[in-house]
Amino acid sequence: MNQQLIFNHDHQFDDAAVAVRCSILQGGLRNTVYIRMPEGWTAEAWLAQVREDSFFWEDEIELALKKGQLDPDGSLWLDGAV
């Protein structure tokens, strides 16, 4: 387990962002992750899919953070994929 990166598993659908939102703790700082909903999905179905594939998304989040894709405001945006 990576102690520098903690996944809070607090997935929710954010209507304004049209994405699943969750938070992570990275080095003691709380950051927000948004996983954009692909076209053709309902909010409920996309939220359920992201929760089901949480280990996949954890890997994607770690990779994006290593690439420095975190916004200055502490947000990370990922495109949803089926």
Side-chain angles (χ1 to χ4, degrees):
M1 181 174 163
N2 183 344
Q3 295 298 320
Q4 292 300 316
L5 188 60
I6 298 171
F7 298 91
N8 294 320
H9 300 283
D10 56 352
H11 301 92
Q12 298 178 340
F13 192 81
D14 186 317
D15 290 317
V18 190
V20 169
R21 180 185 70 230
C22 61
S23 64
I24 58 171
L25 294 175
Q26 182 183 24
L29 298 174
R30 184 180 174 132
N31 297 313
T32 304
V33 177
Y34 295 92
I35 305 170
R36 293 181 184 99
M37 182 173 64
E39 195 172 313
W41 285 76
T42 65
E44 297 81 20
W46 184 239
L47 177 59
Q49 188 66 49
V50 170
R51 284 180 176 158
E52 185 176 319
D53 295 337
S54 63
F55 290 119
F56 168 80
W57 288 110
E58 287 178 9
D59 290 344
E60 292 296 301
I61 291 166
E62 286 189 58
L63 182 60
L65 291 172
K66 286 178 185 175
K67 291 181 178 179
Q69 294 177 329
L70 192 67
D71 289 348
D73 68 351
S75 296
L76 176 65
W77 289 85
L78 299 174
D79 288 326
V82 181

